[in-house]
Amino acid sequence: MFSRYNEGFRQVEPLCTSMCFSLICGVRQGGVLSPVLFAVYTDDLIVKLTKANLGCCIGNVSFCCLFYADDIVLLSGSLYKLQLMLNICDVEIRTLDLKFNPLKCHVLRVGKNYDSEYKNVFFDNCAIALRIRLLT
């Protein structure tokens, strides 16, 4: 089945098509199985974030991360815990040979302390700036 999933690919542009090539790592963009394969590949990250117990509690349930395809949302009740979660992610993605782009990362603050002083959190030695503040 994997050989069928990994058959030759072509890059298609409006006026031309590339030579056929094979995918030797990663998952097919837009492939039906791609989100499932990525989820299986990143499951250890989810397990480590969950076991760290740094997420937000809603009722009796703790939420630490949400995954959709290759997008990840980390949920934390404090900047300190968020930094710890980012440290876990940093170690794990190096193990998985993945890369996060810190320039595409954002911090969203929600709640009564949304306007309190913000201290940057860091990922891969790059500060993640506060983008949005919301009062609930």
Side-chain angles (χ1 to χ4, degrees):
M1 182 169 112
F2 187 72
S3 63
R4 292 280 302 166
Y5 177 78
N6 201 22
E7 284 181 346
F9 297 93
R10 295 179 188 271
Q11 181 176 350
V12 178
E13 298 288 330
L15 300 175
C16 64
T17 302
S18 73
M19 298 292 289
C20 195
F21 62 93
S22 294
L23 182 66
I24 57 173
C25 65
V27 294
R28 286 176 60 176
Q29 185 172 355
V32 175
L33 290 176
S34 296
V36 174
L37 293 173
F38 188 76
V40 168
Y41 191 67
T42 57
D43 187 61
D44 284 347
L45 174 58
I46 297 169
V47 168
K48 287 180 181 174
L49 288 170
T50 303
K51 284 184 177 180
N53 199 27
L54 299 168
C56 293
C57 288
I58 301 173
N60 292 333
V61 181
S62 178
F63 295 91
C64 63
C65 57
L66 304 171
F67 280 63
Y68 181 77
D70 64 346
D71 294 321
I72 301 171
V73 176
L74 299 177
L75 303 167
S76 178
S78 72
L79 292 172
Y80 175 74
K81 289 181 179 181
L82 178 60
Q83 184 62 63
L84 294 175
M85 293 173 82
L86 288 167
N87 295 345
I88 291 168
C89 289
D90 190 35
V91 169
E92 190 61 24
I93 66 161
R94 290 175 196 276
T95 302
L96 295 172
D97 197 26
L98 294 174
K99 292 187 179 187
F100 281 5
N101 185 347
L103 300 176
K104 289 185 175 181
C105 296
H106 307 283
V107 173
L108 169 71
R109 292 184 81 177
V110 179
K112 63 182 178 182
N113 296 326
Y114 76 100
D115 60 349
S116 62
E117 182 183 355
Y118 174 74
K119 294 186 169 111
N120 283 336
V121 291
F122 293 85
F123 187 81
D124 197 23
N125 296 319
C126 183
I128 299 174
L130 177 64
R131 301 283 187 227
I132 303 171
R133 298 177 185 194
L134 297 173
L135 175 63
T136 57

